[in-house]
Coordinates of all heavy atoms in Angstrom, one line a residue:
M1 N -28.9 -11.3 -25.2 CA -27.9 -12.3 -25.5 C -28.6 -13.6 -25.8 O -29.3 -14.2 -25.0 CB -27.0 -12.5 -24.3 CG -25.8 -11.6 -24.2 SD -24.6 -12.0 -25.5 CE -23.7 -13.5 -24.7
A2 N -28.2 -14.2 -27.0 CA -28.7 -15.5 -27.4 C -27.7 -16.5 -27.0 O -26.5 -16.2 -26.9 CB -29.0 -15.5 -28.9
L3 N -28.2 -17.8 -26.9 CA -27.3 -18.9 -26.7 C -26.3 -18.9 -27.9 O -26.6 -18.7 -29.0 CB -28.1 -20.2 -26.8 CG -27.5 -21.5 -26.5 CD1 -27.1 -21.7 -25.1 CD2 -28.4 -22.6 -27.0
E4 N -25.0 -19.2 -27.5 CA -23.9 -19.3 -28.5 C -24.0 -20.7 -29.1 O -23.7 -21.7 -28.4 CB -22.6 -19.0 -27.9 CG -21.5 -18.9 -28.9 CD -20.1 -18.6 -28.2 OE1 -20.0 -18.1 -27.1 OE2 -19.1 -19.0 -28.8
L5 N -24.3 -20.8 -30.4 CA -24.3 -22.1 -31.1 C -23.0 -22.3 -31.6 O -22.6 -21.8 -32.7 CB -25.4 -22.0 -32.2 CG -26.8 -21.7 -31.7 CD1 -27.7 -21.5 -32.9 CD2 -27.4 -22.7 -30.8
R6 N -22.2 -23.1 -30.9 CA -20.8 -23.3 -31.3 C -20.7 -24.4 -32.4 O -21.5 -25.4 -32.4 CB -19.9 -23.7 -30.1 CG -19.9 -22.5 -29.1 CD -19.0 -22.8 -27.9 NE -19.1 -21.7 -27.0 CZ -18.6 -21.8 -25.7 NH1 -18.0 -22.8 -25.3 NH2 -18.6 -20.7 -25.0
P7 N -19.7 -24.4 -33.3 CA -19.7 -25.2 -34.5 C -19.1 -26.6 -34.4 O -19.2 -27.3 -35.3 CB -18.9 -24.4 -35.5 CG -17.9 -23.6 -34.6 CD -18.6 -23.3 -33.3
N8 N -18.5 -26.9 -33.2 CA -17.9 -28.2 -33.2 C -17.9 -28.8 -31.7 O -18.1 -28.1 -30.8 CB -16.4 -28.1 -33.6 CG -15.6 -27.3 -32.6 OD1 -16.0 -26.1 -32.3 ND2 -14.5 -27.8 -32.1
C9 N -17.6 -30.1 -31.7 CA -17.4 -30.8 -30.4 C -16.0 -30.4 -29.9 O -15.0 -30.6 -30.6 CB -17.5 -32.3 -30.6 SG -17.0 -33.3 -29.1
E10 N -15.9 -30.0 -28.6 CA -14.6 -29.6 -28.1 C -13.7 -30.8 -27.9 O -12.5 -30.6 -27.7 CB -14.8 -28.9 -26.7 CG -15.3 -27.5 -26.8 CD -15.3 -26.8 -25.5 OE1 -14.3 -27.0 -24.7 OE2 -16.2 -26.0 -25.2
Y11 N -14.2 -32.0 -27.8 CA -13.4 -33.2 -27.6 C -12.9 -33.8 -28.9 O -11.7 -33.9 -29.1 CB -14.2 -34.2 -26.8 CG -13.4 -35.3 -26.2 CD1 -13.1 -35.4 -24.9 CD2 -12.9 -36.4 -27.0 CE1 -12.3 -36.4 -24.3 CE2 -12.1 -37.4 -26.5 CZ -11.8 -37.4 -25.2 OH -11.1 -38.4 -24.6
C12 N -13.8 -34.1 -29.8 CA -13.4 -34.8 -31.0 C -13.4 -34.0 -32.3 O -13.0 -34.4 -33.4 CB -14.3 -36.1 -31.3 SG -16.0 -35.7 -31.8
D13 N -13.8 -32.7 -32.1 CA -13.8 -31.7 -33.2 C -14.8 -32.0 -34.4 O -14.7 -31.4 -35.4 CB -12.4 -31.5 -33.8 CG -12.3 -30.2 -34.5 OD1 -12.9 -29.2 -34.1 OD2 -11.6 -30.2 -35.6
T14 N -15.7 -32.9 -34.2 CA -16.7 -33.2 -35.2 C -17.6 -31.9 -35.4 O -17.8 -31.2 -34.4 CB -17.6 -34.4 -34.9 OG1 -18.3 -34.8 -36.0 CG2 -18.6 -34.1 -33.8
D15 N -18.1 -31.7 -36.6 CA -19.0 -30.6 -36.8 C -20.3 -30.7 -36.1 O -20.9 -31.8 -36.2 CB -19.2 -30.4 -38.3 CG -17.9 -29.8 -39.0 OD1 -17.1 -29.3 -38.3 OD2 -17.8 -30.0 -40.2
L16 N -20.8 -29.7 -35.5 CA -22.1 -29.7 -34.9 C -22.9 -28.5 -35.5 O -23.0 -27.4 -34.8 CB -22.0 -29.6 -33.4 CG -21.4 -30.9 -32.7 CD1 -21.1 -30.6 -31.3 CD2 -22.3 -32.1 -32.9
P17 N -23.5 -28.6 -36.7 CA -24.2 -27.5 -37.2 C -25.4 -27.1 -36.4 O -25.9 -28.0 -35.6 CB -24.6 -28.0 -38.6 CG -24.4 -29.5 -38.6 CD -23.4 -29.8 -37.6
P18 N -26.0 -25.9 -36.6 CA -27.1 -25.5 -35.7 C -28.2 -26.4 -35.6 O -28.8 -26.5 -34.5 CB -27.5 -24.2 -36.3 CG -26.3 -23.7 -37.2 CD -25.6 -24.9 -37.6
A19 N -28.6 -27.2 -36.6 CA -29.7 -28.1 -36.6 C -29.4 -29.5 -36.1 O -30.2 -30.4 -36.1 CB -30.4 -28.1 -37.9
S20 N -28.1 -29.7 -35.7 CA -27.7 -31.0 -35.3 C -28.4 -31.5 -34.1 O -28.4 -30.8 -33.0 CB -26.2 -31.1 -35.1 OG -25.9 -32.3 -34.5
P21 N -29.1 -32.7 -34.1 CA -29.7 -33.2 -32.9 C -28.7 -33.8 -32.0 O -29.0 -34.3 -30.9 CB -30.6 -34.3 -33.5 CG -30.0 -34.7 -34.7 CD -29.3 -33.5 -35.3
D22 N -27.4 -33.9 -32.4 CA -26.4 -34.6 -31.6 C -25.6 -33.6 -30.7 O -24.7 -34.0 -29.9 CB -25.3 -35.3 -32.5 CG -26.0 -36.4 -33.2 OD1 -26.9 -37.1 -32.6 OD2 -25.6 -36.7 -34.4
A23 N -25.9 -32.3 -30.8 CA -25.1 -31.3 -29.9 C -25.6 -31.4 -28.5 O -26.8 -31.5 -28.2 CB -25.3 -29.9 -30.5
R24 N -24.7 -31.3 -27.6 CA -25.0 -31.3 -26.1 C -24.3 -30.1 -25.6 O -23.1 -29.8 -25.9 CB -24.5 -32.5 -25.4 CG -25.1 -33.8 -26.0 CD -26.6 -33.9 -25.6 NE -27.2 -35.2 -26.0 CZ -27.8 -35.3 -27.2 NH1 -27.9 -34.2 -28.0 NH2 -28.4 -36.4 -27.6
I25 N -24.9 -29.4 -24.6 CA -24.3 -28.2 -24.0 C -24.4 -28.3 -22.5 O -25.3 -28.9 -21.9 CB -24.9 -26.9 -24.5 CG1 -26.4 -26.8 -24.2 CG2 -24.5 -26.6 -25.9 CD1 -27.0 -25.5 -24.4
C26 N -23.5 -27.6 -21.8 CA -23.6 -27.4 -20.3 C -24.1 -26.0 -20.1 O -24.4 -25.3 -21.1 CB -22.2 -27.6 -19.7 SG -21.1 -26.2 -19.9
S27 N -24.2 -25.6 -18.9 CA -24.9 -24.3 -18.6 C -24.0 -23.2 -19.1 O -24.5 -22.1 -19.2 CB -25.2 -24.2 -17.1 OG -24.0 -24.0 -16.4
Y28 N -22.7 -23.5 -19.3 CA -21.8 -22.4 -19.8 C -21.7 -22.4 -21.3 O -20.8 -21.8 -21.9 CB -20.4 -22.5 -19.2 CG -20.4 -22.3 -17.7 CD1 -20.4 -23.3 -16.8 CD2 -20.5 -21.0 -17.2 CE1 -20.4 -23.1 -15.4 CE2 -20.5 -20.7 -15.8 CZ -20.5 -21.8 -14.9 OH -20.5 -21.5 -13.6
E29 N -22.4 -23.3 -22.0 CA -22.4 -23.4 -23.4 C -21.2 -24.2 -23.9 O -21.0 -24.2 -25.1 CB -22.5 -22.0 -24.1 CG -23.8 -21.2 -23.7 CD -23.7 -19.8 -24.3 OE1 -22.7 -19.2 -24.3 OE2 -24.8 -19.3 -24.6
C30 N -20.5 -24.9 -23.0 CA -19.5 -25.8 -23.5 C -20.2 -26.8 -24.3 O -21.3 -27.3 -23.9 CB -18.8 -26.5 -22.3 SG -18.1 -25.4 -21.1
T31 N -19.7 -27.1 -25.5 CA -20.4 -27.9 -26.5 C -19.7 -29.2 -26.9 O -18.5 -29.1 -27.3 CB -20.7 -27.0 -27.8 OG1 -21.3 -25.8 -27.3 CG2 -21.5 -27.7 -28.8
F32 N -20.4 -30.3 -26.9 CA -19.8 -31.6 -27.3 C -20.8 -32.4 -28.0 O -22.0 -32.1 -28.0 CB -19.4 -32.4 -26.0 CG -18.3 -31.7 -25.2 CD1 -18.7 -30.7 -24.2 CD2 -17.0 -31.9 -25.4 CE1 -17.7 -30.1 -23.5 CE2 -16.0 -31.3 -24.7 CZ -16.4 -30.3 -23.7
C33 N -20.4 -33.4 -28.7 CA -21.3 -34.3 -29.4 C -21.8 -35.4 -28.4 O -21.2 -35.6 -27.4 CB -20.6 -35.0 -30.6 SG -19.4 -36.3 -30.2
A34 N -23.0 -35.9 -28.7 CA -23.6 -36.9 -27.8 C -22.7 -38.1 -27.6 O -22.7 -38.6 -26.5 CB -25.0 -37.3 -28.5
T35 N -22.0 -38.5 -28.6 CA -21.1 -39.7 -28.4 C -20.1 -39.4 -27.4 O -19.8 -40.3 -26.5 CB -20.5 -40.1 -29.8 OG1 -21.6 -40.3 -30.7 CG2 -19.7 -41.3 -29.7
C36 N -19.4 -38.3 -27.5 CA -18.4 -38.0 -26.5 C -18.9 -37.8 -25.1 O -18.3 -38.2 -24.1 CB -17.6 -36.7 -26.9 SG -16.4 -37.0 -28.3
V37 N -20.1 -37.2 -25.0 CA -20.7 -37.0 -23.7 C -21.0 -38.4 -23.0 O -20.8 -38.5 -21.9 CB -22.0 -36.2 -23.8 CG1 -22.9 -36.3 -22.6 CG2 -21.7 -34.7 -24.1
E38 N -21.4 -39.3 -23.9 CA -21.7 -40.6 -23.3 C -20.5 -41.5 -23.1 O -20.3 -42.1 -22.0 CB -22.7 -41.4 -24.3 CG -24.1 -40.9 -24.2 CD -24.9 -41.3 -25.4 OE1 -24.6 -42.3 -26.1 OE2 -25.8 -40.5 -25.8
T39 N -19.6 -41.5 -24.1 CA -18.5 -42.5 -24.0 C -17.2 -42.0 -23.4 O -16.4 -42.7 -22.9 CB -18.2 -43.1 -25.4 OG1 -17.7 -42.0 -26.3 CG2 -19.4 -43.7 -26.1
K40 N -17.0 -40.7 -23.5 CA -15.7 -40.1 -23.0 C -15.9 -39.3 -21.7 O -15.0 -39.2 -20.9 CB -15.1 -39.2 -24.0 CG -14.9 -39.8 -25.4 CD -13.8 -40.7 -25.5 CE -13.5 -41.2 -26.9 NZ -12.6 -42.3 -26.9
L41 N -17.1 -38.6 -21.6 CA -17.2 -37.6 -20.5 C -18.1 -38.1 -19.4 O -18.2 -37.5 -18.3 CB -17.8 -36.3 -21.1 CG -16.9 -35.7 -22.2 CD1 -17.6 -34.5 -22.8 CD2 -15.5 -35.4 -21.8
S42 N -18.9 -39.2 -19.6 CA -19.8 -39.7 -18.6 C -20.7 -38.6 -18.1 O -21.0 -38.5 -16.9 CB -19.1 -40.3 -17.4 OG -18.2 -41.3 -17.9
N43 N -21.2 -37.7 -18.9 CA -22.1 -36.6 -18.6 C -21.4 -35.6 -17.5 O -22.1 -35.1 -16.7 CB -23.4 -37.1 -18.1 CG -24.5 -36.0 -18.1 OD1 -24.5 -35.1 -19.0 ND2 -25.4 -36.0 -17.2
V44 N -20.1 -35.5 -17.6 CA -19.4 -34.5 -16.8 C -18.6 -33.5 -17.7 O -17.8 -33.9 -18.5 CB -18.3 -35.2 -15.9 CG1 -17.5 -34.2 -15.1 CG2 -19.0 -36.2 -15.0
C45 N -19.0 -32.3 -17.7 CA -18.3 -31.3 -18.5 C -16.9 -31.1 -18.0 O -16.7 -30.8 -16.8 CB -19.0 -29.9 -18.5 SG -18.1 -28.7 -19.4
P46 N -15.9 -31.4 -18.9 CA -14.5 -31.3 -18.4 C -14.1 -29.9 -18.1 O -13.0 -29.7 -17.4 CB -13.7 -31.8 -19.6 CG -14.6 -31.8 -20.8 CD -16.0 -31.7 -20.3
N47 N -14.8 -28.9 -18.5 CA -14.5 -27.5 -18.2 C -15.1 -27.0 -16.9 O -14.4 -26.2 -16.2 CB -14.9 -26.6 -19.3 CG -14.3 -26.9 -20.6 OD1 -13.1 -27.1 -20.7 ND2 -15.0 -26.9 -21.7
C48 N -16.3 -27.5 -16.5 CA -16.9 -26.9 -15.3 C -17.5 -28.0 -14.4 O -17.9 -27.6 -13.3 CB -18.1 -26.0 -15.8 SG -19.5 -26.8 -16.5
G49 N -17.5 -29.2 -14.8 CA -18.0 -30.3 -13.9 C -19.6 -30.4 -14.0 O -20.1 -31.3 -13.3
G50 N -20.2 -29.7 -14.7 CA -21.7 -29.8 -14.8 C -22.1 -30.9 -15.8 O -21.3 -31.5 -16.5
G51 N -23.4 -31.1 -15.8 CA -24.0 -32.1 -16.7 C -24.4 -31.4 -18.0 O -24.3 -30.2 -18.2
F52 N -24.9 -32.3 -19.0 CA -25.3 -31.8 -20.3 C -26.8 -32.0 -20.6 O -27.4 -32.9 -20.0 CB -24.5 -32.6 -21.3 CG -23.0 -32.2 -21.3 CD1 -22.1 -33.1 -20.7 CD2 -22.5 -31.1 -21.9 CE1 -20.8 -32.8 -20.7 CE2 -21.2 -30.8 -21.9 CZ -20.3 -31.6 -21.3
Q53 N -27.2 -31.2 -21.5 CA -28.6 -31.3 -22.1 C -28.5 -31.2 -23.6 O -27.5 -30.6 -24.1 CB -29.5 -30.2 -21.6 CG -29.8 -30.3 -20.1 CD -30.7 -31.5 -19.7 OE1 -31.5 -31.9 -20.5 NE2 -30.4 -32.1 -18.5
P54 N -29.5 -31.7 -24.3 CA -29.5 -31.5 -25.8 C -29.5 -30.0 -26.1 O -30.2 -29.2 -25.4 CB -30.7 -32.2 -26.3 CG -31.0 -33.2 -25.2 CD -30.5 -32.6 -23.9
R55 N -28.8 -29.5 -27.1 CA -28.8 -28.1 -27.4 C -30.1 -27.8 -28.2 O -30.4 -28.5 -29.2 CB -27.6 -27.8 -28.3 CG -27.5 -26.3 -28.6 CD -26.2 -25.9 -29.4 NE -26.2 -26.5 -30.7 CZ -25.2 -26.5 -31.6 NH1 -24.0 -26.1 -31.2 NH2 -25.3 -27.1 -32.8
P56 N -30.8 -26.8 -27.8 CA -32.0 -26.4 -28.5 C -31.7 -26.0 -29.9 O -30.6 -25.4 -30.2 CB -32.6 -25.3 -27.7 CG -31.9 -25.3 -26.4 CD -30.6 -25.9 -26.6
I57 N -32.6 -26.3 -30.8 CA -32.4 -25.9 -32.2 C -33.0 -24.6 -32.5 O -34.2 -24.4 -32.3 CB -32.8 -27.0 -33.2 CG1 -31.9 -28.3 -32.9 CG2 -32.9 -26.6 -34.6 CD1 -32.4 -29.5 -33.6
R58 N -32.2 -23.6 -33.0 CA -32.8 -22.3 -33.3 C -33.6 -22.4 -34.6 O -33.1 -22.9 -35.6 CB -31.6 -21.3 -33.5 CG -32.1 -19.9 -33.6 CD -30.9 -18.9 -33.4 NE -30.4 -19.1 -32.0 CZ -29.2 -18.6 -31.6 NH1 -28.4 -17.9 -32.4 NH2 -28.8 -18.8 -30.4
P59 N -34.8 -21.8 -34.7 CA -35.6 -21.9 -35.9 C -34.9 -21.2 -37.1 O -34.4 -20.1 -36.9 CB -36.9 -21.3 -35.5 CG -36.8 -20.8 -34.1 CD -35.5 -21.2 -33.6
R60 N -35.1 -21.9 -38.2 CA -34.6 -21.3 -39.5 C -35.5 -20.2 -39.9 O -35.0 -19.2 -40.4 CB -34.7 -22.4 -40.6 CG -33.5 -22.7 -41.3 CD -33.8 -23.8 -42.3 NE -33.5 -25.1 -41.7 CZ -32.3 -25.7 -41.8 NH1 -31.3 -25.2 -42.5 NH2 -32.1 -26.9 -41.3
G61 N -36.8 -20.3 -39.7 CA -37.8 -19.3 -40.1 C -37.9 -18.2 -39.2 O -37.7 -18.3 -38.0
E62 N -38.2 -17.0 -39.7 CA -38.4 -15.8 -38.9 C -39.9 -15.8 -38.4 O -40.7 -15.0 -39.0 CB -38.0 -14.5 -39.6 CG -38.0 -13.3 -38.7 CD -37.7 -12.0 -39.5 OE1 -37.4 -12.1 -40.7 OE2 -37.7 -10.9 -38.9
W63 N -40.2 -16.6 -37.5 CA -41.6 -16.8 -37.0 C -42.1 -15.6 -36.2 O -43.3 -15.4 -36.1 CB -41.8 -18.1 -36.3 CG -41.3 -19.3 -37.1 CD1 -40.1 -20.0 -37.0 CD2 -41.9 -19.8 -38.3 NE1 -40.0 -20.9 -37.9 CE2 -41.0 -20.8 -38.8 CE3 -43.0 -19.5 -39.0 CZ2 -41.3 -21.6 -39.9 CZ3 -43.3 -20.2 -40.2 CH2 -42.5 -21.2 -40.6
R64 N -41.1 -15.0 -35.6 CA -41.4 -13.7 -34.9 C -40.3 -12.7 -35.4 O -39.2 -13.1 -35.6 CB -41.3 -13.9 -33.4 CG -42.3 -14.8 -32.7 CD -43.7 -14.1 -32.7 NE -44.6 -14.8 -31.8 CZ -45.9 -14.4 -31.7 NH1 -46.3 -13.4 -32.3 NH2 -46.7 -15.1 -30.9
P65 N -40.7 -11.4 -35.4 CA -39.8 -10.4 -36.0 C -38.4 -10.4 -35.4 O -38.3 -10.3 -34.2 CB -40.5 -9.1 -35.8 CG -42.0 -9.5 -35.7 CD -42.0 -10.8 -35.0
G66 N -37.4 -10.5 -36.2 CA -36.0 -10.3 -35.7 C -35.4 -11.6 -35.2 O -34.2 -11.6 -34.8
L67 N -36.1 -12.7 -35.1 CA -35.6 -13.9 -34.5 C -35.6 -15.1 -35.6 O -36.6 -15.6 -35.9 CB -36.4 -14.3 -33.3 CG -36.5 -13.4 -32.2 CD1 -37.4 -13.8 -31.1 CD2 -35.1 -13.1 -31.6
S68 N -34.4 -15.4 -35.9 CA -34.2 -16.6 -36.8 C -32.7 -16.9 -36.8 O -31.9 -16.1 -36.4 CB -34.7 -16.3 -38.2 OG -33.8 -15.5 -38.9
L69 N -32.4 -18.1 -37.4 CA -31.0 -18.5 -37.5 C -30.2 -17.5 -38.4 O -29.0 -17.1 -38.0 CB -30.9 -19.9 -38.0 CG -29.5 -20.5 -38.1 CD1 -28.8 -20.6 -36.7 CD2 -29.5 -21.9 -38.7
A70 N -30.8 -17.0 -39.4 CA -30.1 -16.1 -40.3 C -29.9 -14.7 -39.6 O -28.8 -14.1 -39.8 CB -30.9 -15.9 -41.6
L71 N -30.8 -14.3 -38.8 CA -30.7 -13.0 -38.2 C -29.8 -13.1 -36.9 O -29.2 -12.1 -36.5 CB -32.1 -12.5 -37.8 CG -32.9 -12.2 -39.0 CD1 -34.4 -11.9 -38.6 CD2 -32.4 -10.9 -39.8
R72 N -29.8 -14.2 -36.3 CA -29.0 -14.5 -35.1 C -28.1 -15.7 -35.4 O -28.4 -16.8 -34.8 CB -29.8 -14.7 -33.8 CG -30.8 -13.6 -33.5 CD -30.2 -12.4 -32.9 NE -31.2 -11.4 -32.5 CZ -31.6 -11.3 -31.2 NH1 -31.1 -12.1 -30.3 NH2 -32.5 -10.4 -30.9
P73 N -27.1 -15.5 -36.2 CA -26.4 -16.7 -36.7 C -25.6 -17.5 -35.7 O -25.2 -16.9 -34.6 CB -25.5 -16.1 -37.8 CG -25.4 -14.7 -37.5 CD -26.6 -14.3 -36.7
A74 N -25.3 -18.7 -36.0 CA -24.4 -19.5 -35.2 C -23.0 -19.0 -35.2 O -22.6 -18.3 -36.1 CB -24.4 -21.0 -35.7
S75 N -22.3 -19.3 -34.1 CA -20.9 -18.9 -34.0 C -20.0 -19.7 -35.0 O -20.4 -20.9 -35.3 CB -20.4 -19.2 -32.6 OG -19.0 -19.1 -32.5
T76 N -18.9 -19.2 -35.4 CA -18.0 -19.9 -36.3 C -16.7 -20.2 -35.6 O -15.8 -20.8 -36.2 CB -17.7 -19.1 -37.6 OG1 -17.2 -17.8 -37.3 CG2 -19.0 -19.0 -38.4
E77 N -16.6 -19.8 -34.3 CA -15.3 -19.9 -33.6 C -15.3 -21.3 -33.0 O -16.0 -21.6 -32.1 CB -15.2 -18.9 -32.5 CG -13.9 -18.8 -31.8 CD -13.9 -17.9 -30.6 OE1 -14.7 -16.9 -30.6 OE2 -13.2 -18.2 -29.7
R78 N -14.3 -22.1 -33.4 CA -14.2 -23.5 -32.9 C -13.5 -23.5 -31.6 O -12.4 -22.8 -31.4 CB -13.4 -24.4 -33.9 CG -14.2 -24.4 -35.3 CD -13.4 -25.3 -36.3 NE -13.7 -26.7 -36.1 CZ -14.8 -27.3 -36.7 NH1 -15.6 -26.6 -37.4 NH2 -14.9 -28.6 -36.5
H79 N -14.0 -24.2 -30.6 CA -13.4 -24.3 -29.3 C -12.7 -25.7 -29.2 O -13.2 -26.7 -29.8 CB -14.4 -24.2 -28.2 CG -15.0 -22.8 -28.1 ND1 -14.8 -22.1 -26.9 CD2 -15.6 -22.0 -28.9 CE1 -15.4 -20.9 -27.1 NE2 -15.9 -20.8 -28.3
H80 N -11.6 -25.8 -28.4 CA -10.9 -27.0 -28.2 C -10.5 -27.1 -26.7 O -10.2 -26.1 -26.1 CB -9.6 -27.1 -29.1 CG -9.9 -27.0 -30.5 ND1 -10.5 -28.0 -31.3 CD2 -9.9 -25.9 -31.4 CE1 -10.7 -27.6 -32.5 NE2 -10.3 -26.3 -32.6
L81 N -10.6 -28.3 -26.2 CA -10.3 -28.5 -24.8 C -8.8 -28.2 -24.5 O -7.9 -28.4 -25.3 CB -10.5 -30.0 -24.4 CG -12.0 -30.3 -24.2 CD1 -12.1 -31.9 -24.1 CD2 -12.5 -29.7 -22.9
S82 N -8.6 -27.6 -23.3 CA -7.3 -27.3 -22.9 C -6.7 -28.3 -21.9 O -5.6 -28.2 -21.3 CB -7.2 -25.9 -22.3 OG -8.2 -25.8 -21.3
Y83 N -7.5 -29.5 -21.7 CA -7.0 -30.5 -20.8 C -6.7 -31.7 -21.6 O -7.3 -32.0 -22.7 CB -8.1 -30.9 -19.8 CG -8.6 -29.7 -19.0 CD1 -9.8 -29.1 -19.3 CD2 -7.8 -29.2 -17.9 CE1 -10.2 -28.0 -18.6 CE2 -8.3 -28.1 -17.2 CZ -9.5 -27.5 -17.5 OH -9.9 -26.4 -16.8
D84 N -5.7 -32.6 -21.2 CA -5.4 -33.8 -21.9 C -6.4 -34.9 -21.6 O -7.2 -34.8 -20.6 CB -3.9 -34.2 -21.7 CG -3.6 -34.6 -20.3 OD1 -4.4 -35.3 -19.7 OD2 -2.5 -34.2 -19.9
T85 N -6.4 -36.0 -22.3 CA -7.4 -37.0 -22.2 C -7.3 -37.7 -20.8 O -8.3 -38.1 -20.3 CB -7.3 -38.0 -23.3 OG1 -6.0 -38.5 -23.4 CG2 -7.7 -37.4 -24.7
D86 N -6.1 -37.9 -20.3 CA -6.0 -38.5 -19.0 C -6.6 -37.7 -17.9 O -7.3 -38.2 -17.0 CB -4.5 -38.7 -18.6 CG -3.9 -39.8 -19.4 OD1 -4.6 -40.6 -20.1 OD2 -2.6 -40.0 -19.4
D87 N -6.4 -36.4 -18.0 CA -7.0 -35.4 -17.0 C -8.5 -35.5 -17.1 O -9.2 -35.5 -16.1 CB -6.4 -34.0 -17.3 CG -6.9 -33.0 -16.3 OD1 -8.2 -32.7 -16.3 OD2 -6.1 -32.5 -15.5
I88 N -9.0 -35.5 -18.3 CA -10.4 -35.5 -18.5 C -11.1 -36.7 -18.0 O -12.1 -36.7 -17.3 CB -10.8 -35.3 -20.0 CG1 -10.4 -33.9 -20.5 CG2 -12.2 -35.6 -20.3 CD1 -10.3 -33.7 -22.0
A89 N -10.4 -37.9 -18.2 CA -10.9 -39.2 -17.7 C -11.0 -39.2 -16.2 O -11.9 -39.7 -15.6 CB -10.1 -40.3 -18.3
A90 N -9.9 -38.7 -15.6 CA -9.8 -38.7 -14.1 C -10.9 -37.8 -13.5 O -11.5 -38.1 -12.5 CB -8.4 -38.3 -13.7
F91 N -11.1 -36.6 -14.2 CA -12.1 -35.7 -13.7 C -13.5 -36.3 -13.8 O -14.3 -36.2 -12.9 CB -12.0 -34.4 -14.6 CG -12.8 -33.2 -14.1 CD1 -12.4 -32.6 -13.0 CD2 -13.8 -32.8 -14.9 CE1 -13.1 -31.4 -12.5 CE2 -14.6 -31.7 -14.4 CZ -14.2 -31.0 -13.3
A92 N -13.8 -36.9 -14.9 CA -15.1 -37.6 -15.1 C -15.3 -38.7 -14.1 O -16.4 -38.8 -13.5 CB -15.2 -38.1 -16.5
E93 N -14.2 -39.4 -13.8 CA -14.3 -40.5 -12.9 C -14.7 -40.0 -11.5 O -15.5 -40.6 -10.7 CB -13.0 -41.3 -12.9 CG -13.0 -42.6 -12.1 CD -14.1 -43.6 -12.6 OE1 -14.3 -43.6 -13.9 OE2 -14.8 -44.2 -11.8
R94 N -14.1 -38.8 -11.2 CA -14.3 -38.2 -9.8 C -15.8 -37.8 -9.7 O -16.3 -37.9 -8.6 CB -13.4 -37.0 -9.7 CG -12.9 -36.8 -8.3 CD -11.8 -35.7 -8.4 NE -12.3 -34.4 -8.0 CZ -11.8 -33.3 -8.4 NH1 -10.8 -33.3 -9.3 NH2 -12.2 -32.1 -8.0
L95 N -16.4 -37.3 -10.7 CA -17.7 -36.7 -10.6 C -18.9 -37.5 -11.1 O -20.0 -37.2 -10.8 CB -17.7 -35.3 -11.3 CG -16.8 -34.3 -10.6 CD1 -16.8 -33.0 -11.4 CD2 -17.4 -34.0 -9.2
R96 N -18.6 -38.5 -11.9 CA -19.7 -39.2 -12.6 C -20.7 -39.9 -11.6 O -21.9 -40.0 -12.0 CB -19.2 -40.3 -13.5 CG -18.4 -41.4 -12.8 CD -17.8 -42.4 -13.8 NE -18.9 -43.1 -14.6 CZ -18.6 -43.9 -15.6 NH1 -17.4 -44.1 -16.0 NH2 -19.6 -44.4 -16.2
G97 N -20.3 -40.2 -10.4 CA -21.2 -40.9 -9.5 C -22.2 -39.9 -8.8 O -23.1 -40.4 -8.1
T98 N -21.9 -38.6 -9.0 CA -22.8 -37.6 -8.4 C -23.7 -37.0 -9.4 O -23.1 -36.5 -10.4 CB -22.0 -36.5 -7.7 OG1 -21.0 -37.1 -6.8 CG2 -22.9 -35.5 -6.9
P99 N -25.0 -37.1 -9.3 CA -25.8 -36.5 -10.4 C -25.6 -35.0 -10.5 O -25.3 -34.4 -9.5 CB -27.3 -36.9 -10.0 CG -27.2 -37.3 -8.6 CD -25.8 -37.7 -8.3
P100 N -25.8 -34.5 -11.7 CA -25.6 -33.0 -11.9 C -26.3 -32.1 -10.9 O -25.7 -31.1 -10.5 CB -26.1 -32.8 -13.3 CG -26.0 -34.1 -14.0 CD -26.2 -35.1 -12.9
E101 N -27.5 -32.5 -10.5 CA -28.2 -31.6 -9.6 C -27.7 -31.6 -8.2 O -28.1 -30.8 -7.4 CB -29.7 -32.0 -9.6 CG -30.1 -33.4 -9.2 CD -30.1 -34.4 -10.3 OE1 -29.4 -34.2 -11.4 OE2 -30.8 -35.4 -10.2
E102 N -26.7 -32.5 -7.9 CA -26.1 -32.5 -6.6 C -24.6 -32.1 -6.6 O -23.9 -32.2 -5.6 CB -26.2 -33.9 -6.0 CG -27.7 -34.2 -5.6 CD -27.9 -35.7 -5.2 OE1 -26.9 -36.3 -4.8 OE2 -29.0 -36.1 -5.2
R103 N -24.1 -31.8 -7.8 CA -22.6 -31.5 -7.9 C -22.4 -30.1 -7.5 O -23.1 -29.2 -7.8 CB -22.2 -31.6 -9.4 CG -21.8 -33.0 -9.7 CD -21.3 -33.1 -11.2 NE -21.6 -34.4 -11.7 CZ -21.9 -34.7 -13.0 NH1 -21.8 -33.7 -13.9 NH2 -22.2 -35.9 -13.4
Ligands
LIG201 ZN1 -17.3 -35.4 -29.8
LIG202 ZN1 -19.1 -26.7 -18.9

């Protein structure tokens, strides 16, 4: 199983192509843009409460047999949050003071 490279930010729906340096993921692969993680989410994933890290970039080239972006393509299924913005803000407020390693 490879990491699921999702195509958009779940909050603002901006495109996050596989090589984007702005993609952030939580441990469940919930995917957001860096701007939303900083300004809307306060490094609190609204789906699971975890923190975020930059999403690793899958190599374009087949540097080892069978492994490349073309052979293990990015997902095309767009995800969208199922919580409203007030709920997300309250959730982030509740957890932002606790670092991810202690949540
Ligand atoms: Zn966003
Ligand atoms: Zn999450």
Side-chain angles (χ1 to χ4, degrees):
M1 269 290 281
L3 183 73
E4 189 183 336
L5 303 172
R6 298 181 182 172
N8 68 307
C9 172
E10 285 190 38
Y11 193 105
C12 72
D13 199 36
T14 195
D15 288 339
L16 293 170
S20 172
D22 294 326
R24 300 289 180 269
I25 56 170
C26 78
S27 75
Y28 293 102
E29 302 170 323
C30 308
T31 304
F32 296 88
C33 71
T35 303
C36 285
V37 164
E38 284 160 28
T39 65
K40 310 283 188 193
L41 305 176
S42 305
N43 198 32
V44 176
C45 176
N47 297 317
C48 71
F52 291 99
Q53 292 291 326
R55 185 176 68 189
I57 293 173
R58 187 165 299 165
R60 235 178 268 270
E62 189 181 358
W63 306 106
R64 293 288 193 182
L67 299 176
S68 73
L69 185 60
L71 295 167
R72 306 282 186 100
S75 166
T76 56
E77 191 189 327
R78 299 179 85 84
H79 288 242
H80 302 284
L81 281 168
S82 51
Y83 304 101
D84 64 40
T85 51
D86 287 349
D87 181 294
I88 292 164
F91 190 69
E93 192 54 42
R94 212 168 104 210
L95 290 177
R96 63 183 297 172
T98 307
E101 60 271 28
E102 291 172 19
R103 278 181 207 149

